[in-house]
Amino acid sequence: MNKISPRAGILDIAPYVGGRESVEGVANPVKLSANETPLGPSPKAVEAAKAALSSMERYPDGGAKALREAIAAKYGLDAARIVCGAGSDELLHLLAQAYLNPGDEAIASAHGFLVYPIVTKAADAKIVFVPETNLTADVDAILAAQTASTRIVFLANPNNPTGTYLPFSEVKRLREGLREDVLLVLDAAYAEYVRRNDYEAGIELVATHENVVMTRTFSKVYGLAAMRLGWAYCPASVADVLNRIRGPFNVNVPAMMAGIAAVEDQAHIDKAVAHNEKWLAWLTEEISALGLEAVPSVANFLAIGFPETKGKTAAKADAFLGSRGLILRSIASYGLPSYLRLTVGTEEANKRVVAALKEFMDK
Ligand SMILES: *Cc1c(COP(=O)(O)O)cnc(C)c1O
């Protein structure tokens, strides 16, 4: 008999399923299912990572000082309050481990990022999903769900997979309505892409409050998803906690070096953001013109709503696009079975998607 068993909660976790990479029988499909940048990383980041490979026998700087300083300089932050991780996923795990006791509750919005239930259940705590309004997080609903057991509120802003966002006024209202012992985790993975005057990623709230953390990633606009690099901006007390429980060398040297070069290459970021702004608007317009629902997005992807009509459903569209070498993301697991998520791609990929959708919709 097997006597070993994991802690409570773990066997309730549905393993995270990433964006599909391939379609059977289709050579060289275009992957538009994981919100990766079509421009790739800064060539300077690639050079820096390659150069770092020449001294693999040496441990990294466990404090990631040079990287924290580069991030601090770029975003105007206090380097001492930045904690780096192997992707922001690691930081989300650490926050849950540190601040959730067994039986505590963490709140996320109905169609929020699926890493939140994973990290919450891994801490033997309970995830509470609250309804959204127009596929957007609803501050009143989140506040109404707050109980004596609530310890964390996870908010992806903008949210994946919907692409919608809360303006700063709403995020502030959310924080003001939370008890002081509830940690607000603002996951701003797509912050660099947002072109809205009423948006703020979280820096201001972290600077002025003890119960707000902002997480960021190098996986999206910086194009370093394979390197696994993320960071959190924290109150000093939270940074201290994370630094006690993280792996002492949780960020590898090539990732660190690539990250430093990437934040310093502003021209490359500007190019990626400009590309996204142009093609996100174009895709939204073209897809709406086909009679499909294009959920208003401020990120580098778009949720597309399909009708229930036989033959025209999201599942059928997914198969049809796949057969044409275009891989989108089913978001049924996010409670959105009639939607597919499309990552903004190269000009060529975007045009192929619209042409294929036209054909699919018989337009
Ligand atoms: C992609 C994404 C991340 C980034 O995860 P990494 O572990 O840094 O690659 C975090 N949050 C959301 C909402 C995302 O979509």
Side-chain angles (χ1 to χ4, degrees), residues 16 34-35 86-90 92 113 116 156-160 187-190 215-220 225 228-230 301 341:
Y16 185 83
N35 300 343
S88 47
D89 284 354
E90 183 191 21
L92 295 169
F113 190 42
Y116 311 146
N157 196 31
N159 185 50
N160 172 18
D187 175 350
Y190 300 94
T215 60
R216 303 286 287 258
T217 184
F218 281 88
S219 300
K220 304 289 157 55
R228 309 309 304 129
L229 191 58
F301 57 86
R341 192 191 68 197

Side-chain angles (χ1 to χ4, degrees), residues 36-57:
E36 295 152 346
T37 171
L39 271 61
S42 159
K44 292 174 187 158
V46 177
E47 279 312 304
K50 280 185 184 159
L53 293 178
S54 63
S55 39
M56 273 187 207
E57 74 285 5

